[in-house]
Amino acid sequence: MTASGSGTPSRGQVTINAPRRGVDWQLVAILAIGLVVRLMMAYGIDAIRGSGFRTDLDLFRYWGSNLADLGPFGFYDRGFFADYTPGYLYVLWLVGLVGKLIGGIGDLIKLPAILADVALAWTVWSMVRELGATNKRAKIAAAVVIINPVTWFDSVLWGQVDSVGVVVLLLAVRQLWRGRSERAAILAVVAAMIKPQLAILVPIVAAVVIRRAFWPAGGFGDEAPPADQPGLVRLPGGRTRILTTALAGLLTAVVMAAPFGLSLVTFTSTAPYIGSSLLRLIFSTASTYSYVTVNAYNLWALFPVNGGSMASNSGWIHDAQVPDATSWAAIGPLPAGLVGAALLIGAMIVITWLVARRPDRLTILVGTIALALAFFGLPTRVHERYLFPFFGLAAILWACSWRWRIAYVVASLATFLNMYVVLTTLYPNNPGVADWLGIGDTVRSFWGVTFVALLNAAVMFWGFAQLRGSAARSLAVEVAAAASDAPAPPDGVADWDADADADADADNAAAEAEPRFAQAHRIAPDDPMAPFVPIPALAATAEPPTTAAPEPEPGGRRLPAWYDRPSWSSLGPIEALRARWRETPIRPDRSASLNREKHGRLDRLDVWILIVLVVASFGLRTWRLAEPARMHFDEVYHARTATEFLQDWRYGISHNIYEWTHPHLAKYA
């Protein structure tokens, strides 16, 4: 819903800006170009075809083929290495079945991630539109996702699957925006089952659902609940919606895990009498990489142990006292792994609480982004691609805020350099991914790692700061301005001055209603119009006339007044010109409102009218063109008079001019 005539969301209402009916061909072109370029890179360029991280791609192909041959049940008991949760294995199962039909998986293994890149761009576009921004801004955000080197490097060159889970994560955020808690829980669990690090949304869903159930007032921030949501029937204390949401999430996890022989909860006869093979798989995978950082260039990469760090020697340093560790990182008596886990848990609690206080759409989005940054920057055992969710979530805010554009560019640069050096330099045996740019060793050096780590840290702390009240208000103003491409008010101004707008509208209407001789003026102490008396038409309803200049309001605001135009003799020519120059036009100047007006376009009707005019003109001008057969009247006079002029002017032969009636310029020609 929009305020009357504004096209922008009215205060206190949730707007779901569905796109117009029909096909947006510009968006289709953006997505199609992104897909075609990715397919050409993956399958049409010999230097890239077959590229990727060999270990992961070989595992993906083997898992897909194994699932196609034997099915999912008992997958984790077949004696080979398998550390992925079941979410993406369903995709690999489908890829394996297709590969079985065409004679092998091969580079087909990259296709799901490539398609997910395009789906991610479309999802970003739709969510920008749902925030109320213009379609142009939404398409730019989709294009940003398509061209971002982080996305195509991850899917096309590396062969990784991060975009698949991030698409589901964004869909879950959108359902939470709309108040559809059960759907949000289902999608959040699906995202976590694809990549465990995408479980960042689960605590936010839980906190927001509890907040809206127990304290419904302000459950959508300053926004009203979505109009398409019926009133919720709750048990005392609002437990119904909490229960249904929790059951939706738990059943999703059970249904996805069961075909692979995993259980969410199992009971045993020995302590602790309860277990979970699904959680055991997740924790066993995390324990495999017990290092302060696993190629992620965050602040842990600079942590010194025995005079060295990952930044100084590219080595992995243990984060706890594990059996094969001769040394490990510690802060006082605490191992680094425990400190990192505590930092992440603390950040999750604080961010989730801030989101639950005011769970409107922007706060939910910024909170999810903050958790994505926290998951990359605070704990240990982090891989270089754990920041990938940021590039889907923050692209939504790219469309509305210049601050988020800067953060997005900085994070993209840091992550691309991190991914690039890992794939091209740390593991040089990967096919088709040589150090094309020749920067691998530079980025891998101590100062290169430090530079990337500081960029990531700057984005992380800046992202945390965006949950402050002032930052949230500034972002809300920018998003509101993005609904009409109007410039946002200065920082710190959360609302437009409604009284000033009303006064301006009234002034404009009055100015348009006045006769042409009534001139609107803003009074300044040095204005030469100040000493003159208002016109009689206004004097009847105005204060008694005075010859003194009205005092400006505090802050220099000028007051509207109407005066007769003074004569030249009373002011003198110079001052009179200055007075005319300073006059305010009778009608308000609306040229600024046209600054962002779109250019015209030539449509089929325009072309048809042009063709009709050309044909009609030729028809009228060529009809009976052969008549008369000889020159008549002016045709004779023009030629004769021109010749008579030219004889004198060119050759000096004087001659009487026969005809002076018509001007001579045409005759000269």
Side-chain angles (χ1 to χ4, degrees):
M1 300 177 67
T2 60
S4 176
S6 69
T8 59
S10 57
R11 190 177 181 88
Q13 290 177 323
V14 173
T15 301
I16 296 178
N17 259 347
R20 296 179 300 173
R21 292 184 180 275
V23 179
D24 189 327
W25 291 109
Q26 290 182 337
L27 176 65
V28 171
I30 292 171
L31 301 181
I33 291 172
L35 177 61
V36 170
V37 171
R38 280 166 166 75
L39 293 176
M40 290 175 59
M41 294 173 64
Y43 304 115
I45 300 178
D46 292 337
I48 299 177
R49 186 173 182 177
S51 65
F53 188 58
R54 185 191 299 273
T55 302
D56 284 352
L57 291 180
D58 288 344
L59 279 174
F60 292 161
R61 294 187 185 102
Y62 182 81
W63 292 343
S65 299
N66 187 272
L67 288 168
D69 293 335
L70 303 177
F73 193 80
F75 176 81
Y76 294 99
D77 298 325
R78 293 174 187 165
F80 50 76
F81 178 77
D83 61 345
Y84 266 51
T85 45
Y88 192 66
L89 294 181
Y90 284 100
V91 178
L92 293 179
W93 187 8
L94 177 60
V95 172
L97 293 173
V98 175
K100 195 173 182 179
L101 295 176
I102 64 176
I105 295 178
D107 275 351
L108 186 66
I109 201 67
K110 294 182 179 180
L111 189 58
I114 291 173
L115 295 176
D117 283 351
V118 179
L120 182 61
W122 181 88
T123 307
V124 166
W125 168 82
S126 66
M127 293 179 71
V128 173
R129 295 290 289 140
E130 191 160 324
L131 278 179
T134 60
N135 193 36
K136 177 182 177 181
R137 289 174 176 262
K139 287 183 286 192
I140 292 175
V144 167
V145 174
I146 286 290
I147 66 176
N148 190 340
V150 172
T151 60
W152 57 259
F153 195 89
D154 188 77
S155 60
V156 177
L157 274 72
W158 197 310
Q160 295 294 340
V161 302
D162 300 274
S163 56
V164 177
V166 174
V167 170
V168 182
L169 180 72
L170 263 65
L171 294 176
V173 171
R174 184 165 66 175
Q175 295 303 324
L176 193 58
W177 281 0
R178 298 175 177 179
R180 298 169 180 170
S181 306
E182 292 80 8
R183 299 183 188 182
I186 291 171
L187 291 170
V189 171
V190 171
M193 294 288 279
I194 294 174
K195 284 278 190 176
Q197 60 265 32
L198 298 181
I200 54 176
L201 188 61
V202 172
I204 289 182
V205 172
V208 170
V209 170
I210 294 172
R211 164 70 163 86
R212 290 173 176 172
F214 282 97
W215 300 277
F220 289 85
D222 290 336
E223 301 168 339
D228 61 341
Q229 292 296 306
L232 300 177
V233 180
R234 301 185 182 91
L235 295 174
R239 297 183 180 88
T240 299
R241 202 63 187 269
I242 299 174
L243 179 63
T244 57
T245 303
L247 285 176
L250 291 173
L251 288 176
T252 301
V254 170
V255 169
M256 293 187 68
F260 286 84
L262 297 178
S263 61
L264 185 61
V265 178
T266 56
F267 299 96
T268 63
S269 58
T270 57
Y273 307 109
I274 189 171
S276 170
S277 57
L278 176 61
L279 294 179
R280 190 162 54 247
L281 170 66
I282 295 173
F283 286 119
S284 66
T285 301
S287 65
T288 304
Y289 304 98
S290 57
Y291 305 95
V292 290
T293 175
V294 188
N295 296 329
Y297 290 172
N298 53 25
L299 291 180
W300 286 111
L302 309 180
F303 192 84
V305 175
N306 295 333
S309 64
M310 181 181 176
S312 60
N313 56 31
S314 299
W316 291 1
I317 301 171
H318 285 286
D319 66 346
Q321 187 179 3
V322 295
D324 58 341
T326 57
S327 61
W328 57 90
I331 299 178
L334 301 176
L338 182 60
V339 174
L343 289 174
L344 178 61
I345 293 172
M348 291 180 65
I349 293 173
V350 172
I351 293 170
T352 302
W353 178 74
L354 290 174
V355 172
R357 286 182 59 195
R358 190 174 180 271
D360 56 26
R361 292 174 296 172
L362 289 179
T363 305
I364 291 172
L365 180 60
V366 174
T368 308
I369 294 173
L371 281 183
L373 292 168
F375 202 95
F376 179 82
L378 296 181
T380 59
R381 309 185 182 190
V382 173
H383 290 269
E384 65 284 334
R385 293 172 288 105
Y386 278 15
L387 195 56
F388 194 93
F390 174 89
F391 303 105
L393 295 162
I396 301 170
L397 297 177
W398 168 289
C400 307
S401 169
W402 64 268
R403 300 177 183 86
W404 280 96
R405 290 172 198 151
I406 295 175
Y408 194 93
V409 171
V410 172
S412 297
L413 173 63
T415 301
F416 174 73
L417 292 176
N418 196 168
M419 293 169 54
Y420 178 87
V421 73
V422 169
L423 189 61
T424 62
T425 307
L426 293 181
Y427 303 101
N429 294 326
N430 292 306
V433 283
D435 185 6
W436 304 301
L437 300 179
I439 60 173
D441 291 336
T442 302
V443 178
R444 188 183 175 185
S445 67
F446 174 80
W447 292 112
V449 174
T450 302
F451 173 73
V452 174
L454 292 178
L455 288 181
N456 283 322
V459 174
M460 178 180 68
F461 291 120
W462 180 87
F464 293 165
Q466 301 316 296
L467 287 168
R468 294 177 298 116
S470 58
R473 289 189 292 272
S474 297
L475 179 59
V477 171
E478 289 178 307
V479 172
S484 59
D485 276 337
D491 289 346
V493 180
D495 297 305
W496 297 100
D497 187 346
D499 295 335
D501 286 348
D503 292 344
D505 292 341
D507 290 346
N508 293 342
E512 290 182 346
E514 287 301 318
R516 285 187 176 275
F517 59 80
Q519 297 292 317
H521 250 273
R522 300 286 183 179
I523 302 303
D526 59 346
D527 197 325
M529 296 293 290
F532 293 90
V533 181
I535 61 174
L538 296 177
T541 57
E543 295 293 330
T546 177
T547 57
E551 292 294 330
E553 289 185 358
R557 182 182 178 186
R558 295 180 174 186
L559 301 175
W562 287 263
Y563 296 95
D564 285 323
R565 181 176 293 153
S567 63
W568 285 72
S569 58
S570 62
L571 291 179
I574 302 299
E575 289 301 321
L577 287 174
R578 289 179 179 175
R580 291 294 300 273
W581 179 263
R582 296 174 181 177
E583 278 185 359
T584 302
I586 296 174
R587 293 177 176 83
D589 181 11
R590 293 192 174 93
S591 58
S593 64
L594 304 177
N595 286 343
R596 296 179 179 270
E597 187 178 41
K598 295 182 179 179
H599 57 76
R601 60 187 179 88
L602 189 68
D603 58 17
R604 289 179 294 182
L605 180 60
D606 298 326
V607 174
W608 172 246
I609 293 175
L610 181 62
I611 292 174
V612 170
L613 287 175
V614 171
V615 172
S617 300
F618 273 107
L620 292 173
R621 282 163 172 75
T622 57
W623 183 66
R624 300 181 66 180
L625 187 61
E627 300 176 10
R630 295 182 300 173
M631 291 193 296
H632 269 270
F633 304 111
D634 291 347
E635 295 170 320
V636 176
Y637 299 151
H638 285 185
R640 176 174 175 174
T641 305
T643 302
E644 291 165 349
F645 271 110
L646 286 172
Q647 284 182 179
D648 188 21
W649 171 70
R650 183 69 179 81
Y651 303 107
I653 304 174
S654 63
H655 197 287
N656 291 331
I657 302 301
Y658 175 74
E659 193 268 333
W660 293 93
T661 306
H662 295 87
H664 299 137
L665 184 59
K667 302 173 183 179
Y668 298 153

